[in-house]
Amino acid sequence: MGELNKNTEWESTKGLREPIKELEDKWKLVPSFLQVKGLVKQHIDSFNYFINVEIKKIVQANEKVFCDADPLFYIKYLNAYVGTPDLEEGFNVTKPTTPHECRLRDMTYSAPITVDIEYIRGNQRVIKNKQLIGRMPLMLRSSNCVLTNKSDFELAQLNECPHDPGGYFIIRGQEKVILIQEQLSRNRMIVDEFKGAIQCQVTSSTHEKKTRTNVIVKNGKYVLRHNALTDDIPIAIAFKAMGICSDQEIMQLIGTDDTTMKKMGPCIMECHNLKIFTQNQALAYFASKLKVKRFQTANSKSRSPIDEARDLLATTILAHVAVENYNFYVKAIYLAIMVRRVIDAESNRTAIDDPDYYGNKRLELAGSLLALMFEDLFKRFNWELKSIADKIIPKVKAAPFDVVKHMRPDLIANGLFAAISSGNWTIKRFKMERHGVTQVLSRLSYISALGMMTRVNSQFEKTRKVSGPRSLQPSQWGMLCPSDTPEGEGCGLVKNLALMTHITTECSEEPIARLACNAGVEDVRLLGGEEINHPAVYMVFLNGNILGVSRQYKRLIRVFRMFRRRGLISAFVSIYPNHNQRTVYICSDGGRLCRPYIVVENGHPLVQQSHIHELKRGIRKFQDFLNDGLIEYLDVNEENDSHIATRESDIDPYVTTHLEIEPFTVLGVCAGLVPYPHHNQSPRNTYQCAMGKQAMGTIGYNQKNRIDTLMYNLVYPQCPMVKTRTIELTNFDKLPAGQNATVAVMSYSGYDIEDALILNRASIDRGYGRCLVYKSAKTTMKRYSNQTSDRILGPSRDANTGKVIRAHDILDTDGIAAPGEMVENRQVLINKQMPPATLNPVAQGQPQSVDYKDVPITYKGPVESYIEKVMVSSNSEDAFLIKILLRQTRIPEIGDKFSSRHGQKGVTGLIVQQEDMPFNDRGICPDMIMNPHGFPSRMTVGKTIELLAGKAGLMEGKFHYGTAFGGSKVKDVCNELEKHGYNYHGKDIFYSGLTGEPLEAYIYSGPVYYQKLKHMVQDKMHARARGPRAVLTRQPTEGRSRDGGLRLGEMERDCLIGYGASMLLMERLMLASDAFSADICGECGRLASRAWCHACRSSAAVSTVEMPYACKLLFQELASMNIVPKLTLKRYC
Amino acid sequence: MPKLDQKPRVMLEEFRVKNAPDDYGMADEKWNFKKFAKNMRIVIVRLDNFEMEFDLIGVQPAFANAFRRLMLSEVPSMAIEKVMIKNNTSIIQDEVLAHRLGLIPLKADPRLFEYRPEDATVGTEFDTLEFSLKVKCSNNKSQPKDSFRPEDLYENHSVYSSQIKWCPLGNQASVHKEADVGPVHGDILISKMRPGHELDLHLVAVKGIGKDHAKFSPVATASYRLLPDITLTREVTGGEATLLQSCFSPGVIGIDSEGRAFVQEARYDTCSRNVYRYDEIKDSVILSRIRDHFIFNVESVGAMPPNIIFIQAVKILRDKCKSLLDELNTL
């Protein structure tokens, strides 16, 4: 019977249940998306918004400057502009510049900020256009950058790599990234549990103020807590202070059901007990709880405390809810909702918000951070102008006061430069003090630079040991990469954006508010509490502010989504209901995470195969999909109101609303490099994400033009045999970092334990793993205030032989090392000299050349380098700038670190001659042997599949794909192998190179993409017999860079004690370190000097004792503190 | 199950290579010259200037392996060892350029040269070949309009091995023919250049062995495989026969007119052992390889024909044995 029923049910829905055909090449939408949005588009969009829109708003908000001295004087800013990048060449001459010039010459890539102003000079009103007020560091590839909209050829002429993502700044030659900052969203109610008590918290943020308001439960009563108040205010008093004086009205706003009434009872009672009935009484109560202001200004003195309390209530408490003419009604409703939320959460714990939920988070980008900083600096700039005006106007002068002459562009320019170059964001107005906001762009590899641009930094303290903020949130799905996070203290706090994530920029609220009203939202100001809290009514919020109520919320949402798909409102406006709170939220604020999805209607994705064909032919662009409403952006909150199918086959015709574009886009840039990541144990992908950033390869097409302090390049980088779609999208195949090594998975010799690798000598001879290490030396020729300056001398000659001394062997006649020369340890690169006095003016006529001090730039390092090139230029201080690029070619050696793309790192354990390597029937010798013990515990199945796919790809002459959640199937790959006469499982017969007989096991072998990591023995090897000692303690110095000793640590010491090797201990800890013969007076037990005891005035009992110098030092230091350590001496034999 | 013949063999089982239970490898066998001379055979299957395939039958693996190893690492050949860089303004680094030049195979018969003494600073005509490479890239004056191909825009934008010029030392010009000295292949790309780039190099080639650096190895590779042997244990017909046929390389399994499978030529098999994937036929074959039948494959890099390389390897082995014997006799 049941069977039959099922059948009929199936019959009736047959039309709907028909399997939906999979869209072919749907992934083509991803490159099309990245074409418009790009990987670092978030940064660039945000910065563009700042320099084109927000900067004008900021200037407008602070448009007028008045002066106390002259009531007629004013400055009015009419407009503000950010220009195109240029360099100041002195004498107000500027010259257009390029980013690469700034990099090389240690300059700042910036553009002038100019304003149009209207001001009073004397008695005239003057309008001045294009007045320079500061300089704005420019983000590369932003709208004002010279690189935007340039072809690859044009970029090449500007010495720029076409694959360079941009999105960073160049400050004094350094590339700086403003990391994406994650924080809790502003102006939203968040209900959370704090020390067992439930509270509702709102962090209000407006242009003027940032405050936090809490409604908490205290002794069973609800109170309002705020930083500006000394004490908590009972909630009923707060309502009364806002003019909601009747208790009934209060209850109607909060809710009139029994439980609410019961809970609110005590609060109302308390108010009565305090005898507060009117608004004025309540405000007086408020005033008594105000924090006493330290500085009374003339303005505030004249006002009564009640006025002040009213002001506080209007502007500071819940600052984001605007109050007009002291009409507090909307604010009271807002407060009532906060109380309501707390009451709800008390009885229903699921109503507590999750602060880690990504819908409650906002990401701050370069634009908004710079806007904060600029506004602060601009205000300071204006304040300074005002104080100058205050000072100068009263003085009678010949020329009328011209404020333009006092506008110093340095303040804003240096403030912005310093903030970006130090990463310290200090804004006193908001009590904001953040460190590490910017980082130097890591140019170790292309991927490390790209990975940095997608990094998201959390405001959370790294040292706290809580798991909540660190663990993977389900709401991060598709927005943040689940794999790419560092290990250790930053784990889970530092995240990376996924491939298709977009971060919204603000769009204006007014049209949305108007639209909402048209769609049936009623203004709350016209309604009473009973209507607002009616069960059939949903409250509508716009960016956390109450907009009104709607009786048909479903219609409202539908209308809004339709508007959005039609393009009538911004694609990034989101709307979603919350049924528990009976609210509809509309968001248009910046910093929300969102990503595009295919719209599904009636069980069918709107994107059809024909659309994809059009896309392939280039007729259709991603924007067209958006314009036609086939694809739309969903933010985290709206995602939760949608039913999203991962694949076409998952579409349920009744509920599905959206379809994922491509599942692999849930991963980020770094995790996207891993082939078959869905077959790996997840930590392995995380390890690879960290290691991919250390792999050397190519960093950009302009790498040969760069002079970086440290740069690693591979001589023969290769594109991986097993690619992923992400690799192609990020252009990793064009700027690769690694080589395809033929790997045999077998054990060999025993030098391969603990993940060590065996390399083939012949492969190395033929260029495998060869890398170039570039380092640079730099100096400037300074000019000093006393008219002296640094100088460079040609090579010195030996006085006797007349030959150039060895240290100066490589110098050209100009005193700078010549390109192409080999430099050895301690040879001079630049023979610079400094004048002896740089401060005191040198008397005229005095010969200056006498004792110039030698300050040569020397080369240090045990291995010689070659000079690649020398650059002589000038920097922003007009001093000569000399940069020398040094090069080393390094061949893999034992101890160099390699890693596959599956988090499997290992060092070279042995390098074997080719004839000793195993070989197979076809005469193939592996480049590398890897121990099979690396597999069972790591479970990196993806690596084994990569090997198979790579091998099949070699035979077919094509690249296989190991894209996440897709890629070439193992079965197909194996069939391909079989077709070419290989074993189906990829295991071949190998012969031992040593005995010539076949090996007993079949060997799994094929190409695997291996990365050479930057850790090389040459940079780490260190040993010391004798060497430098620290001055104070006479103990050996510490660290490789100081040629330090190798420490016998505490644990090693414990071992020796346990073993009883006391003489060895003595040798290691004293004799080999800081042995010292101290003279001790046997009489008084104190230190004697030169066999003479000063205390006893004799040398009779003085004997010499061997002790550590540190011990002697301790005694002397103690003696200096009036503690006399005394030694008792005894003869020991 | 048919009895296998008495040839020494290894069995290729599904999961491992297995020697016969009583077989401890041929290393333990007592070596007998007469027997060896009787069994030992060399059959040349294929030979041209660059490649040779021959069968070495009836020797112990140590012998075969010794020849393989010697060919890879001890048969000498000439290669560029030193590069004097007078000028290099191309984008390729000096060291990398030198490395690339070193790997270019040279056609110069190493038998006509001596090893250069370690302490020698200048080469003589008996141990050194010198070359020069002087190329300058410039704009093509007669460039066709509207062309953006580098080959039209520039002259000498690619440096090939054919541009390496031999500079005979002393009497070399009369001893060696011009055609016998120089890179084997003229189309090896050394570097790419753009106008203003210039190479002025002096190259010194010496004789060396592969042990020292892979560039001195006279072979691209030299290796061997054991002769595969396939024995059918039962009659395989019909669909199974075609399935069986598909499990081996083409030409290994034949099907006769009655649809029965038979082993046609086991030699061609790549020993992929894919027959073990099918349970229905995996019992019908015994896969094995003949342990004393080595199919050698020698790919010369071009300086010497492969047969000469092999003979050289034999000579080196002989010399080594001789010197060992001499040492032993002096004891």
Side-chain angles (χ1 to χ4, degrees), chain A residues 1080-1101:
Chain A
I1080 306 285
C1081 176
E1083 202 69 31
C1084 66
R1086 279 180 274 188
L1087 285 169
S1089 68
R1090 295 201 201 108
W1092 174 260
C1093 179
H1094 276 288
C1096 308
R1097 308 219 135 264
S1098 93
S1099 60

Side-chain angles (χ1 to χ4, degrees), chain A residues 704 715-716 761-762 764-767 770 772 774 820 866 868 887-889 913-917 919-925 975 978 981-985 987-989 991-1002, chain B residues 10-17 19 25-26 61-62 65 68-69 72-73 91-96 99-100 103 210-214 217 219-221 223-226 246-247 270-274 277-278 289 291 294:
Chain A
K704 293 227 57 179
V715 175
Y716 297 113
R761 164 106 269 155
I764 293 172
D765 285 346
R766 292 179 179 122
R770 238 166 238 244
L772 297 160
Y774 289 97
Y866 293 87
E868 170 95 7
R887 154 174 47 90
Q888 280 181 344
T889 309
Q913 292 286 344
Q914 188 190 348
E915 64 266 23
D916 291 338
M917 284 301 247
F919 59 98
N920 70 1
D921 271 359
R922 305 188 186 210
I924 298 171
C925 282
N975 280 330
E978 189 177 358
Y982 275 96
N983 178 251
Y984 183 84
H985 298 110
K987 293 176 159 192
D988 298 325
I989 298 166
Y991 301 86
S992 161
L994 298 162
T995 67
E997 294 198 59
L999 297 173
E1000 256 190 74
Y1002 299 120
Chain B
V10 282
M11 314 307 295
L12 303 183
E13 293 182 357
E14 189 172 356
F15 298 113
R16 61 170 178 169
V17 181
N19 288 356
M26 279 177 284
N65 195 31
R68 182 190 69 89
R69 292 168 60 92
L72 281 173
S73 70
I91 58 149
I92 200 158
Q93 298 83 358
D94 296 352
E95 303 94 279
V96 177
H99 174 239
R100 288 180 74 87
L103 288 174
K211 217 176 214 168
D212 207 35
H213 192 285
S217 186
V219 288
T221 191
S223 79
Y224 58 75
R225 63 190 177 108
L226 296 177
S246 72
C247 290
T270 52
C271 290
S272 62
R273 312 175 312 282
N274 287 326
R277 289 182 60 208
Y278 306 102
R289 309 191 91 164
R291 296 195 49 181
F294 299 91

Side-chain angles (χ1 to χ4, degrees), chain B residues 238-259:
Chain B
E240 286 190 347
T242 41
L243 182 63
L244 186 72
Q245 194 179 31
S246 72
C247 290
F248 293 91
S249 306
V252 173
I253 300 289
I255 297 178
D256 66 14
S257 53
E258 282 152 55

Side-chain angles (χ1 to χ4, degrees), chain B residues 175-216:
Chain B
V175 178
H176 306 282
K177 270 183 280 175
E178 178 87 43
D180 290 343
V181 180
V184 177
H185 308 279
D187 54 353
I188 300 172
L189 183 65
I190 296 169
S191 172
K192 287 201 173 181
M193 305 205 290
R194 282 295 176 268
H197 289 175
E198 190 178 349
L199 285 183
D200 188 357
L201 314 173
H202 185 72
L203 320 172
V204 180
V206 298
K207 186 172 164 179
I209 57 171
K211 217 176 214 168
D212 207 35
H213 192 285
K215 68 184 173 189
F216 289 119

Side-chain angles (χ1 to χ4, degrees), chain A residues 86-90 95-109 170-174 705-707 778-780 871-883:
Chain A
D86 57 14
L87 291 178
E88 282 168 348
E89 300 265 273
K95 171 189 106 128
T97 186
T98 63
H100 200 69
E101 185 187 358
C102 294
R103 274 192 280 251
L104 290 180
R105 289 180 59 193
D106 289 357
M107 308 277 231
T108 303
Y109 187 61
I170 299 170
I171 310 288
R172 292 180 201 115
Q174 247 188 348
N705 296 324
R706 301 175 62 98
I707 302 182
K778 180 174 100 173
T779 191
T780 50
M871 186 196 80
V872 181
S873 180
S874 64
N875 65 5
S876 49
E877 275 108 53
D878 243 4
F880 269 116
L881 171 73
I882 302 165
K883 282 183 173 179

Side-chain angles (χ1 to χ4, degrees), chain A residues 18-31:
Chain A
E18 232 175 289
I20 293 145
K21 248 195 216 163
E22 212 151 295
L23 288 169
E24 258 176 62
D25 288 334
K26 195 171 50 157
W27 65 273
K28 295 252 182 193
L29 280 167
V30 186

